[in-house]
Amino acid sequence: MNELAITVIGRDRPGIVADVAEVLARLGANLTDSTMTRLRGHFAMTLICTGPAAAEVEAALAPLAAEGQLLATVRAVTPDGEVAPVGEPYVMAVHGSDRMGIVAAMTRVLVDAGGNVTDLSTRLAGSLYVVLAEVELPAGVADGLTDRLHRTAGELGVEVTLRPADPDLL
């Protein structure tokens, strides 16, 4: 069984998810992990599936990209198996006036504390910039990390919160 990483990007339109999912189902590919979103009128999807060879999936997705509206890429990946969390789950939220470097600075603080960003999304609404990140942190570092996050946020002119994640909601 092949494990594949597939990306689909392009101008958003109704039916992209259904079209891709139907192609994969017809091939007998099992969609195991996915994330899909719309970013300023553009659709972006990344998924992992198991099933046929990459070339067969690429050929089957080609008609969806034929009009030049979508770009689909397929590549074989090595299965990692089940990966146990390496730390405790937290959610970091950042909001404030938009400026360059917010994501870079705030995620650097997390990484320097041994954290791992497992999911991240950003939104710009007018001049308000919002970052939501799910992170895994080593046991016992959250209290000291909060102080460093607040210092960095102050330098950027934004607000930050770090709270334990409810695993049932993730």
Side-chain angles (χ1 to χ4, degrees), residues 6 19 26 39 75 92 152 162:
I6 301 170
D19 292 346
R26 278 195 304 272
L39 303 167
R75 73 174 215 157
M92 178 185 73
T152 302
L162 181 69

Side-chain angles (χ1 to χ4, degrees), residues 81-135:
E82 285 297 313
V83 177
V86 296
E88 300 171 339
Y90 280 81
V91 174
M92 178 185 73
V94 180
H95 67 277
S97 294
D98 184 30
R99 63 169 283 180
M100 290 197 30
I102 294 172
V103 173
M106 300 307 289
T107 57
R108 177 54 55 199
V109 173
L110 294 169
V111 169
D112 288 349
N116 184 35
V117 177
T118 58
D119 193 65
L120 183 131
S121 64
T122 64
R123 287 286 185 254
L124 179 61
S127 64
L128 178 66
Y129 192 70
V130 178
V131 179
L132 281 176
E134 294 173 17
V135 300

Side-chain angles (χ1 to χ4, degrees), residues 91-96 106 110 131 145-154 157-163:
V91 174
M92 178 185 73
V94 180
H95 67 277
M106 300 307 289
L110 294 169
V131 179
L145 177 60
T146 300
D147 294 338
R148 290 190 299 272
L149 287 169
H150 282 287
R151 261 194 315 277
T152 302
V158 297
E159 299 291 322
V160 64
T161 59
L162 181 69
R163 65 172 175 76

Side-chain angles (χ1 to χ4, degrees), residues 17-41:
V17 172
D19 292 346
V20 171
E22 286 170 352
V23 165
L24 295 174
R26 278 195 304 272
L27 292 173
N30 183 35
L31 195 153
T32 57
D33 289 302
S34 67
T35 183
M36 300 158 219
T37 193
R38 199 171 72 179
L39 303 167
R40 298 191 181 242

